[in-house]
Amino acid sequence: LRFDEAGRPKEFVRCAGGPIKLWKKLTIHGHLPPDQYVAGADISLGLGRTNSCLSACSVSNGEKVLEYCDPHLKSNEFAIKCVAICRWLSFQDNPCVLGWENSGAPGITFGKEVEKMGYGSVYMSGGRDDAAFGGGVRATKAGYSAQKGHYDLLQEYQSSLGRKDFINRSRPALDETKDWIYVDGKPTHKANATRKEDPSGAKENHGDRTIA
């Protein structure tokens, strides 16, 4: 996806083996079909060891339509790329909602860059009710926090896959789900348990696609 420094997409260039994986055909205008799309990001330090990942899906049918992974982009650079992708997935009445883990330095830097670029269609949390599209009265912070642990998130993900409410067509993402185990009642990822050569070039597997 070609875009300018402000994260405004210019054109999508088809490239076999490219970093953006799609599971939906592009229109003649080089876009995915109009729909409501949502995207989630898991952010690394960008040092080449673990992936920063963006995953996007269709709200209308629960199918994953896009995956982007890169272990080398710093969190602010990754934010610009994610905003460009989300703008590319946005339509006049249906902007793509972007969510990310806001705890830790990478998530905080990512969020500041998203705000700097003026992208306002973000997942909001911080109160009893989480919200999207700018949030609600109780939603006070962009992104979501995993400080309470990934238990609820992974339980819902597992249930959604089982019910086929969410259809994940990414083989690497599904393979990463096999590496989560429970230690003292808490989900823990067995890094490198099923590591094969990652197409992104990442050296370690920390379940980044799963969280995204």
Side-chain angles (χ1 to χ4, degrees), residues 153-197:
L153 180 68
L154 293 175
Q155 285 290 307
E156 179 59 29
Y157 182 36
Q158 182 181 36
S159 297
S160 296
L161 288 174
R163 297 190 304 263
K164 295 185 178 181
D165 292 337
F166 177 58
I167 300 173
N168 194 338
R169 302 192 185 280
S170 168
R171 173 56 62 184
L174 291 174
D175 286 343
E176 285 186 9
T177 64
K178 302 173 185 177
D179 296 338
W180 288 88
I181 60 174
Y182 287 90
V183 178
D184 297 328
K186 298 180 180 180
T188 303
H189 191 266
K190 300 184 297 179
N192 300 323
T194 61
R195 167 56 67 193
K196 299 176 182 178
E197 185 177 351

Side-chain angles (χ1 to χ4, degrees), residues 61-82:
N61 58 21
E63 292 190 19
K64 183 170 181 173
V65 298
L66 179 149
E67 181 179 278
Y68 170 67
C69 297
D70 193 313
H72 302 293
L73 288 180
K74 299 293 187 287
S75 52
N76 62 314
E77 298 170 330
F78 182 59
I80 295 172
K81 187 68 174 275
C82 288

Side-chain angles (χ1 to χ4, degrees), residues 12-71:
F12 189 90
V13 180
R14 292 175 174 85
C15 177
I20 296 179
K21 312 300 181 186
L22 296 176
W23 287 275
K24 212 166 190 178
K25 290 184 178 180
L26 297 178
T27 68
I28 59 174
H29 302 293
H31 287 268
L32 291 183
D35 202 338
Q36 171 65 68
Y37 297 105
V38 293
D42 186 62
I43 307 143
S44 74
L45 292 171
L47 301 178
R49 297 188 67 83
T50 64
N51 277 315
S52 285
C53 296
L54 181 76
S55 177
C57 74
S58 163
V59 173
S60 63
N61 58 21
E63 292 190 19
K64 183 170 181 173
V65 298
L66 179 149
E67 181 179 278
Y68 170 67
C69 297
D70 193 313

Side-chain angles (χ1 to χ4, degrees), residues 44-128:
S44 74
L45 292 171
L47 301 178
R49 297 188 67 83
T50 64
N51 277 315
S52 285
C53 296
L54 181 76
S55 177
C57 74
S58 163
V59 173
S60 63
N61 58 21
E63 292 190 19
K64 183 170 181 173
V65 298
L66 179 149
E67 181 179 278
Y68 170 67
C69 297
D70 193 313
H72 302 293
L73 288 180
K74 299 293 187 287
S75 52
N76 62 314
E77 298 170 330
F78 182 59
I80 295 172
K81 187 68 174 275
C82 288
V83 167
I85 292 174
C86 286
R87 283 177 172 154
W88 183 68
L89 291 173
S90 295
F91 298 89
Q92 185 173 3
D93 298 322
N94 291 312
C96 178
V97 178
L98 172 62
W100 66 93
E101 187 175 341
N102 57 26
S103 55
I108 293 172
T109 300
F110 181 96
K112 289 181 178 178
E113 192 67 33
V114 171
E115 182 179 7
K116 178 181 175 181
M117 289 186 291
Y119 193 74
S121 182
V122 298
Y123 180 87
M124 302 291 291
S125 62
R128 287 185 299 166

